[in-house]
Amino acid sequence: MTRADQATAVDAAEVLARCDHLGTLTAVPGIIHRAYLTPEHAAANAATAAWMAAAGMDTWTDAAGNIVGRYEGADPEAPVLLLGSHLDTVPNAGRYDGPLGVMLAIAVVARLHERGERLPFPIEVIGFGDEEGTRFGSTLLGSRAVAGTWDARWWELRDAEGVTLVEAFQTFGLDPSRVGEAARDPQRVLGYLEAHIEQGPYLEEAGRPLGVVSAIAGAHRFQLTITGKAGHAGGVPMDRRRDALVGASQAVLDIERLAREMDCVATVGMIEVAPGAANVIPGEASFSLDVRAATDEGRDACWRAIQDAIQEFCQERRLVLSIEETHSAPAEAPAPRLVDAVRAGIAATGDDDPLVLLSKAGHDAMAIAAMTDWAMLFIACAGGVSHHPAEAVTEADVAAALDAFEAAVVSLVR
């Protein structure tokens, strides 16, 4: 555990510089990829811990690999306010999805420390180690550990190199048997606030730097496999083929059509074909499906319609459909008292009627919702681009976000 005694002022330019610095801590120059429990993760934790300490926080790595900083309150026994986001990324990522929220939270604490101000309650900033799920395929591992919803079945998950989650914990210096120690007592938590780039175009299009999140969309993920019959590309007549890729292609079109019609979002992000030769009719096509909507009912209705459409086409073409659900998360609504705090924060920047937005992307807040109340502040990002190196924010918008996030935290004193 470390602590610094000297306050360090942090402004928007420094917040962005820290995000940029994290982007350099990568195995491949110019390519940002920080996966859970990797050397890049360790380096990001170390850098973040140093910034936390400079802001007057005690710091430690918790039992799940999350980096945590605590700024003591006037009453150390009062329930703690949690702030944070994630430090991991998708492959070939941008700089701001996740880290910007962590750096803004640290900057808020740095301002309090610079003024010598202690709030009635402690603040803890958490840089979650795994939100994206890119290494082991199951998302929100860091925040689920904190929420106390860790699933022992995850220990057998393997990464692309065959390393199990248990082995990764041990290599990182963690004891798998102690992961439960990362969980918080809900009675000891005041709530959770998260700042995050919008990952959508609406704030920028409206000329607004900040917005309030109304809910986080519920999501289902599946692995669908369509099985037909492989055959010679020249020898099998067109009217006798059982081409699995044709079935998958029609499925992708039906998925897009139905998602549009039913006001959902649905994505096929990966597809694999076997045998995979230019002169062989595909006998099997396997593809991912991600379905999201504002409500669980809307999401589930869309999925049923998609399933029916794919099944009908497969029957017509003598194809077999198999389905494996790989992820399920309910839609989550924020707590009104914390939404009011975010609104008050934005109002402090001069916007008394902020844009209210549904988050169709998942966030650590949806895992923390199992343990405590939450709310989110959205920040405009250029073109709505995210999960891409072109991810960008403006210094002016980050400055507004820093002021708003500080004001939201302080408003909870009242």
Side-chain angles (χ1 to χ4, degrees):
M1 188 175 286
T2 61
R3 184 169 185 169
D5 295 323
Q6 299 300 316
T8 301
V10 179
D11 60 11
E14 178 61 20
V15 166
L16 292 174
R18 291 175 176 184
C19 292
D20 290 342
H21 177 72
L22 290 179
T24 68
L25 305 177
T26 182
V28 181
I31 304 294
I32 299 175
H33 185 200
R34 278 190 305 279
Y36 188 38
L37 305 178
T38 60
E40 292 78 21
H41 176 191
N45 274 7
T48 302
W51 294 323
M52 288 173 166
M57 288 183 267
D58 296 331
T59 72
W60 67 93
T61 299
D62 75 10
N66 304 307
I67 186 68
V68 186
R70 181 180 174 94
Y71 185 71
E72 201 57 80
D75 179 3
E77 298 305 313
V80 63
L81 176 66
L82 302 179
L83 310 176
S85 192
H86 60 99
L87 293 175
D88 70 313
T89 73
V90 298
N92 199 24
R95 288 173 164 77
Y96 306 110
D97 172 13
L100 179 59
V102 181
M103 299 307 122
L104 283 169
I106 294 171
V108 167
V109 173
R111 285 183 168 188
L112 296 173
H113 187 45
E114 184 183 24
R115 296 195 298 265
E117 183 177 353
R118 299 282 174 176
L119 302 185
F121 46 81
I123 297 173
E124 290 186 12
V125 178
I126 307 179
F128 293 109
D130 177 90
E131 189 254 20
E132 303 288 3
T134 58
R135 184 175 181 188
F136 293 101
S138 188
T139 62
L140 302 165
L141 296 183
S143 45
R144 287 182 180 183
V146 171
T149 56
W150 187 270
D151 190 333
R153 292 174 295 182
W154 296 335
W155 291 123
E156 298 308 312
L157 294 173
R158 294 179 181 271
D159 67 12
E161 277 68 51
V163 177
T164 66
L165 185 56
V166 167
E167 293 167 338
F169 257 63
Q170 294 167 338
T171 301
F172 200 75
L174 301 172
D175 182 349
S177 69
R178 300 181 64 179
V179 69
E181 296 177 12
R184 302 305 182 91
D185 177 357
Q187 300 303 315
R188 306 293 302 156
V189 179
L190 179 64
Y192 172 72
L193 296 178
E194 181 172 353
H196 204 284
I197 59 171
E198 180 194 352
Q199 299 179 287
Y202 299 110
L203 285 172
E204 185 185 54
E205 288 179 355
R208 314 280 282 276
L210 308 174
V212 182
V213 174
S214 61
I216 300 176
H220 273 324
R221 289 182 189 171
F222 304 91
Q223 191 68 24
L224 282 69
T225 300
I226 294 177
T227 304
K229 186 175 182 179
H232 195 289
V236 182
M238 294 299 293
D239 62 349
R240 300 187 186 186
R241 297 188 176 198
R242 296 168 57 195
D243 189 325
L245 183 56
V246 170
S249 300
Q250 183 61 48
V252 171
L253 295 174
D254 285 336
I255 288 165
E256 182 190 41
R257 173 179 59 82
L258 290 166
R260 287 175 178 269
E261 291 175 0
M262 302 181 74
D263 194 27
C264 297
V265 290
T267 305
V268 175
M270 298 182 295
I271 188 166
E272 295 181 355
V273 176
N279 60 347
V280 180
I281 298 164
E284 183 177 280
S286 181
F287 56 99
S288 64
L289 173 62
D290 182 308
V291 184
R292 308 184 190 209
T295 66
D296 294 342
E297 294 78 13
R299 175 203 63 197
D300 293 345
C302 185
W303 162 236
R304 287 193 297 270
I306 289 170
Q307 187 176 4
D308 289 345
I310 297 174
Q311 192 69 262
E312 181 179 355
F313 185 82
C314 285
Q315 289 175 351
E316 292 174 0
R317 293 296 187 107
R318 297 178 297 133
L319 302 169
V320 177
L321 171 66
S322 62
I323 301 166
E324 177 189 1
E325 184 177 75
T326 57
H327 172 75
S328 181
E332 297 288 354
R337 68 181 179 92
L338 295 181
V339 171
D340 288 345
V342 174
R343 284 182 173 276
I346 296 174
T349 70
D351 185 356
D352 293 323
D353 186 25
L355 207 59
V356 179
L357 297 165
L358 168 69
S359 175
K360 293 179 180 177
H363 300 286
D364 290 295
M366 66 197 306
I368 295 298
M371 181 261 295
T372 192
D373 291 341
W374 64 275
M376 288 187 69
L377 171 74
F378 263 176
I379 304 150
C381 57
V385 173
S386 183
H387 284 190
H388 188 278
E391 213 170 68
V393 293
T394 70
E395 184 175 329
D397 288 352
V398 172
L402 179 52
D403 290 342
F405 209 43
E406 179 189 13
V409 169
V410 173
S411 77
L412 293 174
V413 174
R414 299 189 292 272

